[in-house]
Amino acid sequence: MATTTTPNATDWPGRYYHIDQILEKAGPRTDPEWVPGDKAKEWLREGVKVLVIGAGGLGCEILSNLALTGFKDIHVIDMDTIDISNLNRQFLFRQKDVGKSKALVAAEFIMNRVPGVKVTPYHGKIQDKDEDYYMQFTLIICGLDSVEARRWINATLVNMVDPENPQSLKPLIDGGTEGFKGQARVILPTITSCYECSLDMLNKQTQFPICTIANTPRLPEHCIEWASVLEWPRVFPDKKVDNDDPDHIDWLYKQALNRAQEFKIEGVTWSLTQGVVKNIIPAIASTNAIISAACCNEAFKIATNSAAFLNNYFMFIGTDGVYSYTFEHERRPECPVCGGEALDLTISPELTLQELIDLLIERQDIQIKKPSLSTPTKQLYLQAPPQLEEATRPNLEKKVSELVPPNGDVTVTASTLPFSLSLRIAYT
Amino acid sequence: MIKIWSMKKNEDAAAKKKPKTSAAQIRVQKDLTELDLPSTMKTHFPDPADLLNFTLTITPDEGMYKGGAFVFSFAINTNYPHDPPKVKCTQTIYHPNVDLEGNVCLNILREDWKPVLNLNSVMVGLQYLFLEPNPDDPLNKDAAVEMTKSRDLFISNVKQTMKGGYLKGTQYDNVLSRS
Ligand SMILES: [Zn+2]
């Protein structure tokens, strides 16, 4: 069969034989609008641009799976450098790479190993990049161990959705593991539940009561927490512990060891100290492989439309046998990121803040009492506590147009609202 | 990807573009403006534009700590409410659940923190420590031992230290309320 694409030196015959079986014919649950064939293959190999966030335990697997599935334009972001302890599972890295950027080494490795794939690395934080950067991708896959970074990318992608522009909706596939447990989920910003919607579901890291740490330690972890939570701030009141500074870990280790000896507790080691202080969760290579594979299959299905994708949460529990469960995690109406109401408001530039508040209270459709208002950079008017009410009261007399730029955003909270109301202010 | 956008068109138009205010910031605004504090607790913001750093003064009107004004610092990070607020007592006080560095033993500040809790719950929890100090979860072990051994001696120690007294090698801060 003749192909429309020019044969590439790196695309030897039969390279994509298995993948092409899926892209050449529709399955029973394929979207009826999808047209299988050369266009579909061309789209996957030349049209799709994927961003992988994180090049660690999950990221190495994700990058390898994507490259071998036929994705050819892959970007990867990671701010970390390679540590010797990563080498047991982060298989794109070798001993000689210790100390180098994870993103750079991973990209290099994939490009050497899988011909014809372009991996563009960025060594830095996801927060360094703006909406224009994220807008270039077809979809985004996250393999992160940080709640904070996930909350950030989730909120950024939800905010990016422009009802006028279909390209602005970027599917987010999020994978996470913890020992033998893991989850993969598909987030369609503003359509499905988002990461913030499920924040309450997170497994909490184990924390010990501070009085146990202070008085009745029984575990090596209690001694380490004593050193980092109580001793460090006492001895160095003006200096924070830097988790990545070996000298700091060393100091904590020595303090913890002394305390452990005093209480006849065994098991305080340098690496346990580092693990407790950095909150390192045991990582199992095969759990990472399972979750990454699930994420990449969803990426393939979403990118190509060749089969129905996950709706929307897959959890895997391998702690006691093998258990998995797929369910639809529901959006939370009171979610601070994707929930709440939004309102476009066009007002006179002469309107004062007090008049705007009165206007909101009068509106039947939002049922608001005692609203507090702020912009992303400052408080406009807060109903309480008294000191803040007094500090923001002078704003009530001012014109809204002096406080909020045209098309500026105002966040309204009130006890009568489930969470918050967003206003976009335009002027007549 | 056509399919995903059509799913969006089926949704009602409620999901408009949201402001760039972070979830933590909105949540702190909500928590603070909906605080329901008794007259025995007052917040103070050194910089009224910074909602993430402030102090709380507790002036118990009953119990053995009556007459004192206890000042706690609150520091909230951008991962709130996933992370609890960091709370410390800014004075050296004699209390079984507060150590001499100002660390506080309150379960919801650490092991029992949940994102559904809020600043009001933390403040009410702190006030409760002054009404019912708990010698079973000690941070200041000496104070806890004395409280269990002799309640009268403990109360007299509390009174003495609140005046800025000296007890067993430690100089305590004068916390007597000026009002
Ligand atoms: Zn949400």
Side-chain angles (χ1 to χ4, degrees):
Chain A
M1 200 170 65
T3 54
T4 51
T5 45
T6 354
N8 186 314
T10 58
D11 283 352
W12 55 91
R15 178 174 183 178
Y16 298 117
Y17 175 79
H18 296 275
I19 292 293
D20 287 352
Q21 303 297 303
I22 295 160
L23 296 179
E24 276 165 6
K25 51 182 180 286
R29 292 194 62 210
T30 311
D31 184 348
E33 278 173 60
W34 181 63
V35 187
D38 288 340
K39 275 271 183 321
K41 296 186 219 168
E42 205 182 302
W43 166 246
L44 170 66
R45 284 156 209 165
E46 276 151 49
V48 175
K49 196 190 264 197
V50 189
L51 173 66
V52 178
I53 301 179
L58 287 162
C60 284
E61 294 276 357
I62 292 168
L63 289 167
S64 135
N65 286 342
L66 289 177
L68 295 172
T69 317
F71 288 87
K72 289 193 157 177
D73 190 355
I74 305 169
H75 288 236
V76 59
I77 300 189
D78 198 309
M79 62 185 285
D80 278 347
T81 53
I82 299 160
D83 187 81
I84 187 112
S85 64
N86 301 143
L87 302 183
N88 62 358
R89 62 193 185 283
Q90 299 178 18
F91 54 85
L92 303 178
F93 312 138
R94 300 291 175 270
Q95 191 116 29
K96 65 173 168 46
D97 302 321
V98 169
K100 293 185 195 159
S101 152
K102 286 189 176 181
L104 267 62
V105 174
E108 202 57 43
F109 189 103
I110 295 284
M111 286 195 286
N112 282 331
R113 179 69 181 76
V114 193
V117 175
K118 194 172 115 216
V119 185
T120 312
Y122 174 70
H123 174 74
K125 295 165 93 169
I126 51 174
Q127 289 89 342
D128 298 345
K129 301 291 189 182
D130 59 10
E131 286 196 1
D132 287 343
Y133 172 82
Y134 291 106
M135 201 61 98
Q136 65 179 305
F137 300 104
T138 317
L139 57 87
I140 292 158
I141 310 183
C142 264
L144 286 164
D145 56 6
S146 146
V147 173
E148 200 168 353
R150 279 198 180 100
R151 286 179 75 189
W152 188 87
I153 189 69
N154 175 68
T156 301
L157 296 181
V158 171
N159 282 332
M160 248 166 67
V161 177
D162 172 358
E164 306 300 317
N165 176 15
Q167 301 299 318
S168 65
L169 195 150
K170 307 294 178 190
L172 171 66
I173 302 168
D174 179 54
T177 66
E178 203 178 310
F180 288 114
K181 291 189 231 166
Q183 84 282 330
R185 62 192 292 192
V186 170
I187 295 170
L188 304 176
T190 71
I191 297 176
T192 67
S193 86
C194 77
Y195 184 72
E196 193 84 18
C197 286
S198 60
L199 208 57
D200 301 352
M201 271 173 63
L202 284 182
N203 279 334
K204 273 186 32 117
Q205 68 179 91
T206 322
Q207 288 225 310
F208 306 107
I210 200 160
C211 34
T212 304
I213 297 169
N215 293 302
T216 51
R218 295 179 307 278
L219 300 171
E221 288 84 352
H222 293 158
C223 303
I224 297 165
E225 290 266 290
W226 173 82
S228 70
V229 176
L230 296 172
E231 268 310 270
W232 180 281
R234 197 180 64 79
V235 180
F236 308 107
D238 300 318
K239 196 159 69 169
K240 275 204 169 136
V241 179
D242 177 358
N243 294 342
D244 293 317
D245 186 336
D247 292 340
H248 288 195
I249 302 288
D250 222 47
W251 189 89
L252 295 174
Y253 164 62
K254 286 184 183 129
Q255 304 298 317
L257 195 64
N258 284 339
R259 185 160 171 92
Q261 279 158 357
E262 189 187 324
F263 285 88
K264 301 194 169 45
I265 296 167
E266 300 205 346
V268 172
T269 61
W270 201 91
S271 71
L272 183 72
T273 306
Q274 190 193 33
V276 169
V277 173
K278 292 180 86 167
N279 184 31
I280 297 174
I281 297 150
I284 309 285
S286 38
T287 312
N288 283 344
I290 292 167
I291 295 302
S292 303
C295 289
C296 292
N297 281 355
E298 294 317 309
F300 178 81
K301 292 187 283 179
I302 291 172
T304 62
N305 278 313
S306 58
F309 54 83
L310 170 67
N311 181 28
N312 53 31
Y313 201 115
F314 161 75
M315 63 156 81
F316 171 82
I317 300 169
T319 37
D320 195 9
V322 177
Y323 175 78
S324 78
Y325 183 57
T326 298
F327 64 101
E328 184 177 347
H329 187 270
E330 305 253 345
R331 267 177 89 175
R332 266 197 320 134
E334 70 277 20
C335 171
V337 171
C338 75
E341 299 283 323
L343 203 63
D344 282 324
L345 218 55
T346 304
I347 58 172
S348 152
E350 298 301 312
L351 200 77
T352 63
L353 187 63
Q354 178 67 62
E355 288 166 328
L356 173 67
I357 290 173
D358 295 342
L359 199 92
L360 289 174
I361 296 170
E362 279 164 30
R363 279 186 71 131
Q364 290 296 316
D365 54 342
I366 46 179
Q367 296 283 329
I368 204 169
K369 277 180 203 148
K370 291 193 143 204
S372 292
L373 286 74
S374 62
T375 71
T377 51
K378 58 179 178 288
Q379 287 91 47
L380 297 178
Y381 181 68
L382 302 185
Q383 301 275 354
Q387 185 200 352
L388 298 182
E389 193 277 330
E390 211 170 293
T392 52
R393 200 186 301 154
N395 284 342
L396 291 174
E397 308 287 305
K398 292 186 189 160
K399 291 175 187 160
V400 180
S401 54
E402 293 168 27
L403 301 164
V404 185
N407 297 314
D409 295 311
V410 173
T411 300
V412 182
T413 62
S415 55
T416 48
L417 289 171
F419 195 77
S420 65
L421 167 74
S422 313
L423 302 179
R424 164 123 342 148
I425 307 281
Y427 300 104
T428 51
Chain B
M1 306 277 291
I2 316 153
K3 197 184 169 191
I4 290 173
W5 192 253
S6 65
M7 287 165 70
K8 171 138 190 86
K9 289 291 170 197
N10 297 336
E11 290 270 313
D12 55 13
K16 293 230 181 84
K17 221 167 147 58
K18 311 273 313 272
K20 303 225 166 7
T21 314
S22 76
Q25 214 178 321
I26 306 176
R27 186 46 210 272
V28 171
Q29 173 176 325
K30 192 166 169 63
D31 277 16
L32 285 174
T33 53
E34 292 166 29
L35 281 178
D36 186 16
L37 297 180
S39 58
T40 49
M41 285 195 271
K42 275 197 176 58
T43 51
H44 174 73
F45 295 79
D47 172 7
D50 176 8
L51 300 187
L52 303 181
N53 294 286
F54 56 91
T55 62
L56 172 76
T57 304
I58 303 178
T59 47
D61 58 1
E62 54 179 313
M64 48 189 111
Y65 289 93
K66 184 178 170 179
F70 303 93
V71 183
F72 291 85
S73 64
F74 278 63
I76 299 168
N77 71 22
T78 54
N79 211 16
Y80 183 78
H82 180 68
D83 292 352
K86 283 210 164 29
V87 176
K88 281 201 142 192
C89 183
T90 63
Q91 303 140 319
T92 308
I93 65 167
Y94 177 80
H95 190 295
N97 309 113
V98 180
D99 73 12
L100 301 179
E101 270 71 46
N103 295 299
V104 185
C105 185
L106 180 64
N107 62 338
I108 56 170
L109 281 177
R110 236 178 113 77
E111 69 275 14
D112 292 330
W113 171 258
K114 296 185 207 63
V116 293
L117 294 171
N118 57 28
L119 294 174
N120 208 81
S121 353
V122 169
M123 293 176 183
V124 169
L126 286 174
Q127 168 154 279
Y128 189 72
L129 287 181
F130 290 96
L131 303 178
E132 296 287 339
N134 172 9
D136 299 329
D137 290 334
L139 257 190
N140 182 336
K141 219 174 178 173
D142 291 342
V145 168
E146 275 152 31
M147 185 175 174
T148 336
K149 257 196 338 219
S150 159
R151 205 173 163 85
D152 289 343
L153 177 66
F154 176 74
I155 292 176
S156 95
N157 283 347
V158 168
K159 296 290 171 218
Q160 187 192 332
T161 54
M162 277 170 55
K163 282 185 279 190
Y166 198 76
L167 181 75
K168 289 192 178 164
T170 301
Q171 172 72 55
Y172 288 88
D173 285 334
N174 180 344
V175 296
L176 291 184
S177 167
R178 255 154 277 180
S179 61

